[in-house]
Amino acid sequence: MKKSVMFIFLLISVLTNANVRMPLIFSDGMVLQRDKQIPIWGFADANESVEVHFNKQIKKTQADKNGKWTVNLNAEKAGGTFRIDNYRKK
């Protein structure tokens, strides 16, 4: 009985945790083109809502039926050390 309860809990936690991720090209030391839109893309569960946060910008999108998503961040000026974060929208 105890094993089946643990299995059900584990299964539910896996199913409710979306797998939002970006390709490895988006990594430490990455350089972005200034004064141009910044395309960001990645993968998630099919039809999953995704938010991308970058330097005071928040862009929202939804993954397609294959789990692919993309957003275009606004152009940025040169400078700074910034971080790109992506989230599953709850």
Side-chain angles (χ1 to χ4, degrees):
M1 175 71 172
K2 200 172 195 179
K3 287 183 181 180
S4 61
V5 171
M6 289 298 288
F7 176 74
I8 292 171
F9 177 74
L10 179 63
L11 183 63
I12 290 171
S13 67
V14 169
L15 292 176
T16 60
N17 191 7
N19 192 14
V20 177
R21 62 195 190 288
M22 296 186 301
L24 295 178
I25 191 170
F26 299 104
S27 64
D28 293 344
M30 178 181 183
V31 177
L32 301 173
Q33 179 69 45
R34 68 177 179 192
D35 301 324
K36 301 254 184 200
Q37 275 192 338
I38 305 165
I40 305 291
W41 65 93
F43 311 95
D45 293 337
N47 303 312
E48 185 75 32
S49 294
V50 176
E51 283 186 2
V52 175
H53 297 225
F54 177 74
N55 191 27
K56 301 177 187 160
Q57 294 186 52
I58 298 175
K59 299 290 182 169
K60 299 176 185 180
T61 190
Q62 185 172 352
D64 65 14
K65 66 181 179 179
N66 298 316
K68 296 178 182 179
W69 57 267
T70 186
V71 296
N72 286 308
L73 298 170
N74 298 332
E76 293 279 342
K77 298 290 181 194
T81 300
F82 303 111
R83 180 182 168 106
I84 299 173
D85 293 308
N86 61 57
Y87 301 96
R88 170 178 71 110
K89 189 173 179 199
K90 297 178 182 179

